[in-house]
Amino acid sequence: MELFTSTYENRIDRKGRVSVPAKYRSILEHRNEPLILTRALNLPCLEGMSAERMNQIADAIDALDAYSEDAAILQMIMASAQEFRPDSEGRIGLPDEFLAHANLDEMVLFVGVGRIFQLWQPNAYHERENISRNAARSGRTPQLILKPRANGGQNGDSK
Amino acid sequence: MELFTSTYENRIDRKGRVSVPAKYRSILEHRNEPLILTRALNLPCLEGMSAERMNQIADAIDALDAYSEDAAILQMIMASAQEFRPDSEGRIGLPDEFLAHANLDEMVLFVGVGRIFQLWQPNAYHERENISRNAARSGRTPQLILKPRANGGQNGDSK
DNA sequence: TGCTATCCCATAAAATCCCATGAGAGCGAC
DNA sequence: GTCGCTCTCATGGGATTTTATGGGATAGCA
């Protein structure tokens, strides 16, 4: 499976390290790409993605006028991004800015949301989940429009 | 990764030297290219890049009318460019014009913005970051259209 | 002779490597 | 089904290396 799914709650040890879920790691390793984390623009969480996606953003920046305000905002994404190379046990050390942005202390909740995954303070995520769920119950469901994929033939392989 | 990301705040010592972040150094060394610094055109910061990037800018200038005002302005980028060779500990000495242009005194904030990086007076950058972040929060986010890349893409997605 | 830039060595803190342990999932034999 | 074996994975912590930084020594240069 090429998509990040499910959730995993892992501990931050006293050195500030946390294990990246093995499922996520194997996706990145399978693509032979390093792990990138960024601070989400408008949420108190971190976002994890492959380097491929960062390159796409860099391309988007280059396509803009280098001195425009739009470019400045996209550059903020790059400035908050950091490359991580998990140690031999699959852990990464989270720097203070990242811990602070997502209010992380003891535990981290990894949340797979498809092409990327998020890192949440567990309670913060559960609150947010309840809010969204209640919104859905009260009828405010989003439109979900599925389109056929271009490369219909290939499906997910695995280990 | 090939991109300059994240931020690093380093001290200018009493001899006027500052360490170039090891991550940035290794990118340049990996490409076997010297470090070039310029004064940013419309911002109080310096910009660091590889020599290859300089060539791209030169190409962009050539694409303009050689006698236009725009070309004259962009040529100032080249005029302010200077090549630096870090010492054995990875430090460079910043000349006075550069210190003055970016109002640098004690600390330098290296800000990776993709294909280049910037050198800011820390407070000056944080102010600018707040402005951009508020703009992003209030909905004025730039269009971000991610395009599949020519070389890297194993995952055929479009969205 | 002063000034400046560069080389070299030293050091503390932070990041990373490496080995160990234990819980738990999966699996096969019975 | 269930017992026990194996393997994976998250976690802990000591050992080692990297990195930023300070400063003395040396060599040009005005």
Side-chain angles (χ1 to χ4, degrees), chain A residues 133-144:
Chain A
R133 220 170 263 281
N134 287 334
R137 282 212 193 86
S138 62
R140 292 201 299 285
T141 54
Q143 275 195 320
L144 174 57

Side-chain angles (χ1 to χ4, degrees), chain B residues 60-136:
Chain B
I61 294 175
D62 282 353
L64 297 173
D65 169 13
Y67 298 108
S68 67
E69 188 63 25
D70 281 359
I73 292 173
L74 290 179
Q75 281 165 355
M76 288 197 318
I77 297 178
M78 310 298 291
S80 77
Q82 211 166 315
E83 180 177 333
F84 289 84
R85 192 159 48 92
D87 69 14
S88 57
E89 276 73 39
R91 290 174 293 197
I92 57 175
L94 293 173
D96 288 341
E97 321 90 81
F98 280 28
L99 294 175
H101 181 83
N103 302 311
L104 297 174
D105 42 32
E106 208 175 332
M107 304 296 288
V108 179
L109 188 68
F110 289 81
V111 181
V113 293
R115 307 261 145 75
I116 69 169
F117 59 90
Q118 300 175 333
L119 281 67
W120 283 83
Q121 200 281 324
N123 289 333
Y125 178 75
H126 290 133
E127 276 177 33
R128 179 178 156 78
E129 188 186 15
N130 282 335
I131 292 170
S132 294
R133 212 169 262 276
N134 287 335

Side-chain angles (χ1 to χ4, degrees), chain B residues 11 13 15 17 22 25 89 91:
Chain B
R11 175 176 303 280
D13 69 18
K15 290 184 184 180
R17 301 172 299 188
R25 255 153 45 209
E89 276 73 39
R91 290 174 293 197

Side-chain angles (χ1 to χ4, degrees), chain B residues 12-67:
Chain B
I12 301 179
D13 69 18
R14 75 181 59 175
K15 290 184 184 180
R17 301 172 299 188
V18 64
S19 290
V20 178
K23 274 254 166 69
Y24 295 0
R25 255 153 45 209
S26 77
I27 291 175
L28 293 168
E29 282 163 16
H30 180 255
R31 302 196 203 137
N32 214 9
E33 295 213 351
L35 164 62
I36 308 241
L37 290 188
T38 70
R39 284 176 283 177
L41 269 188
N42 61 343
L43 294 173
C45 72
L46 309 175
E47 294 189 328
M49 65 198 75
S50 67
E52 193 213 333
R53 182 81 179 184
M54 262 289 128
N55 283 318
Q56 282 186 16
I57 295 175
D59 290 345
I61 294 175
D62 282 353
L64 297 173
D65 169 13
Y67 298 108

Side-chain angles (χ1 to χ4, degrees), chain A residues 51-64:
Chain A
E52 162 79 4
R53 197 174 175 93
M54 269 291 119
N55 276 309
Q56 291 176 347
I57 294 176
D59 288 345
I61 291 175
D62 279 356
L64 293 173

Side-chain angles (χ1 to χ4, degrees), chain A residues 2-29:
Chain A
E2 284 296 310
L3 296 176
F4 298 107
T5 58
S6 187
T7 65
Y8 304 85
E9 188 169 349
N10 289 347
R11 173 175 305 280
I12 301 178
D13 69 19
R14 75 179 60 175
K15 287 186 184 178
R17 299 173 300 187
V18 65
S19 289
V20 178
K23 270 260 168 62
Y24 295 0
R25 254 153 47 209
S26 78
I27 290 175
L28 293 167
E29 281 162 16

